[in-house]
Amino acid sequence: MFKQLKIYYILISLPFVLLLTGSAVFFDAIQMTITRNPHPQINYTIFIIILFGGCLILVNARQLVKEARTVVDFSRAIHAKIDLDVLQEIASKYTGAVACLFQMVASSTGRSISHQEQVAIENELTNARSGLQRRNALPQYLTGLLVGMGLLGTFIGLLATLNDISTLISSFAEIDMKTASPLVVFRTMIERMKAPMQSMGIAFSASMFGLLGSIILGLMMVGVRRLQGDIFSLLHSEVARHIEFALSFEPAVSAGLTGGVAVRSGDEYKVV
């Protein structure tokens, strides 16, 4: 199971690696786009958000794989039919979102559990799931923020373009069309159209970089959510199995065997 989870390292990091590789290959074109932009601050902000978001998702993926290793190790310990004291000692060493859940499972293994204990375990399972999902909040916000930054750059560029076009149109009023040479008028128009074109460059470059970054971070988050789905699936299976075995002790307890000792037999426990 854990060997399959390691594949998510590749699935999550591959889009980010491809982005960095593409940036290195097309570095000259990107640099030209920025140098020709009279206000490149919005592009620099987008680049910083992409790098920060990508690194944050990779760190989150590393933590998730660590949590997955904990889940798999604990599952193997249960299926290996180890001593209950050893199982509790293993669970006490765990840290992270699932540590408290496994400690509760280990402490209630090999005996009957009350309805209150069952509810507590199920609530802790919900809390562990919520704790893992809360890690997605900031990366998801950064993914949407990149789209917003691209739109912001678009509006800034369009506003600057409108202002430059207004200045261009106003400049024609200063030209004496009766005495001015048509060649001079055309040359002046071409020179003064550079400002609106540069402003349009702000709009399109910001939108392009913002959307590209949002796509890359979105692909990385797809891998993160699939990894979380595998962890949740294994957690639910183990907790459901534990509760089912714990509830199977109730007939023995009601028969007056409460003073017995739980002994593992196969995948179940007997009271002797």
Side-chain angles (χ1 to χ4, degrees):
M1 179 68 180
F2 182 62
K3 293 181 179 179
Q4 296 177 352
L5 291 174
K6 286 184 176 179
I7 299 177
Y8 287 108
Y9 269 136
I10 300 176
L11 296 179
I12 296 172
S13 61
L14 182 60
F16 195 61
V17 172
L18 291 177
L19 175 65
L20 297 179
T21 304
S23 300
V25 172
F26 299 102
F27 178 77
D28 294 336
I30 296 174
Q31 186 180 25
M32 185 180 300
T33 302
I34 295 176
T35 54
R36 291 182 177 180
N37 192 332
H39 303 288
Q41 295 84 358
I42 188 73
N43 289 342
Y44 291 144
T45 304
I46 291 174
F47 294 156
I48 292 173
I49 294 174
I50 293 174
L51 292 176
F52 176 73
C55 294
L56 181 64
I57 293 175
L58 291 177
V59 172
N60 188 17
R62 181 177 177 83
Q63 293 175 345
L64 283 174
V65 171
K66 184 178 179 180
E67 298 281 359
R69 178 181 296 174
T70 300
V71 174
V72 173
D73 288 345
F74 189 79
S75 177
R76 289 175 178 173
I78 292 178
H79 288 278
K81 308 174 185 178
I82 64 175
D83 185 73
L84 299 181
D85 293 334
V86 178
L87 183 64
Q88 294 179 8
E89 182 179 354
I90 293 175
S92 64
K93 296 179 181 179
Y94 289 149
T95 59
V98 298
C100 185
L101 174 63
F102 285 155
Q103 290 167 10
M104 295 176 66
V105 170
S107 64
S108 59
T109 299
R111 62 177 177 83
S112 176
I113 61 174
S114 63
H115 176 70
Q116 290 79 6
E117 287 179 306
Q118 178 182 351
V119 172
I121 293 174
E122 291 174 347
N123 287 338
E124 187 58 35
L125 175 62
T126 302
N127 292 336
R129 183 187 184 99
S130 300
L132 292 176
Q133 289 180 333
R134 278 195 297 269
R135 299 176 184 177
N136 298 340
L138 183 56
Q140 289 176 345
Y141 171 75
L142 294 178
T143 302
L145 180 62
L146 286 172
V147 178
M149 293 298 293
L151 291 176
L152 178 62
T154 299
F155 292 137
I156 292 174
L158 291 178
L159 288 174
T161 301
L162 292 175
N163 185 49
D164 293 335
I165 291 176
S166 176
T167 303
L168 174 64
I169 294 174
S170 300
S171 66
F172 286 113
E174 303 174 359
I175 301 176
D176 188 357
M177 303 301 294
K178 295 181 180 179
T179 59
S181 170
L183 182 60
V184 174
V185 174
F186 182 74
R187 183 181 301 169
T188 303
M189 182 183 66
I190 295 299
E191 288 293 329
R192 293 179 178 177
M193 284 185 64
K194 290 182 179 179
M197 297 305 295
Q198 288 179 340
S199 298
M200 288 297 294
I202 301 175
F204 289 117
S205 63
S207 298
M208 178 182 66
F209 293 137
L211 289 175
L212 179 61
S214 178
I215 291 172
I216 294 300
L217 296 188
L219 286 174
M220 297 176 71
M221 286 304 300
V222 169
V224 169
R225 284 190 286 268
R226 289 192 60 183
L227 174 56
Q228 288 177 336
D230 285 349
I231 296 175
F232 298 152
S233 178
L234 185 57
L235 272 177
H236 279 282
S237 298
E238 290 300 330
V239 170
R241 177 178 176 274
H242 168 73
I243 292 176
E244 180 183 0
F245 285 170
L247 293 178
S248 67
F249 286 102
E250 292 182 352
V253 173
S254 61
L257 299 179
T258 55
V261 178
V263 178
R264 188 189 297 269
S265 176
D267 285 339
E268 299 182 354
Y269 289 93
K270 294 181 178 179
V271 178
V272 295

